[in-house]
Amino acid sequence: QVQLVESGGGLVQPGGSLRLSCAASGSVADINDRGWYRQVPGKERELVARIASSGRLRYADSVKGRFTISKGNAGNTLYLQMHNMKPEDTGVYYCNIILGGSWRSYWGQGTQVIVSS
């Protein structure tokens, strides 16, 4: 029914940049909101950035001014542009969407990001 696939993760040096992509397929014509989360082993998954149905953007305080979330015009893609990356940004990044009507939440498998010199 619904599939989310993240890509673009990898190794980057502190101060560098990376762009993550999420491709959504299946019954995703009516997405209410969407966002990016990240998780470090042994820690709780945390919100990085979201786009509400109104278009309002929300960012974690730790990434404000450095990360930008955006969606493709077709509505089935989601991006996270990361600049001035820090070692604390290391983790597995997950794409998430919530569908309108059913209000069901869906997650991708995640893409690993490592910030290290």
Side-chain angles (χ1 to χ4, degrees):
Q1 286 280 344
V2 175
Q3 184 176 20
L4 305 177
V5 180
E6 301 97 335
S7 62
L11 175 65
V12 64
Q13 295 183 355
S17 299
L18 206 61
R19 175 175 287 195
L20 305 183
S21 299
C22 173
S25 61
S27 301
V28 293
D30 185 23
I31 299 175
N32 185 265
D33 60 33
R34 65 209 81 192
W36 289 95
Y37 293 72
R38 68 187 178 193
Q39 187 170 26
V40 177
K43 305 290 185 180
E44 295 286 333
R45 188 174 299 182
E46 66 174 351
L47 171 70
V48 176
R50 291 199 71 87
I51 305 176
S53 60
S54 65
R56 185 180 72 256
L57 307 182
R58 178 186 175 189
Y59 294 95
D61 288 341
S62 61
V63 308
K64 286 181 179 177
R66 300 189 297 117
F67 291 9
T68 301
I69 188 171
S70 62
K71 61 180 180 180
N73 290 332
N76 62 344
T77 52
L78 185 68
Y79 305 97
L80 184 67
Q81 180 66 60
M82 303 182 287
H83 294 295
N84 190 26
M85 298 188 70
K86 306 177 183 299
E88 305 90 86
D89 296 322
T90 294
V92 178
Y93 285 68
Y94 297 89
C95 177
N96 170 258
I97 65 170
I98 297 175
L99 299 184
S102 71
W103 305 108
R104 290 199 61 182
S105 179
Y106 297 89
W107 297 90
Q109 291 299 116
T111 184
Q112 188 174 55
V113 172
I114 301 175
V115 185
S116 176
S117 60

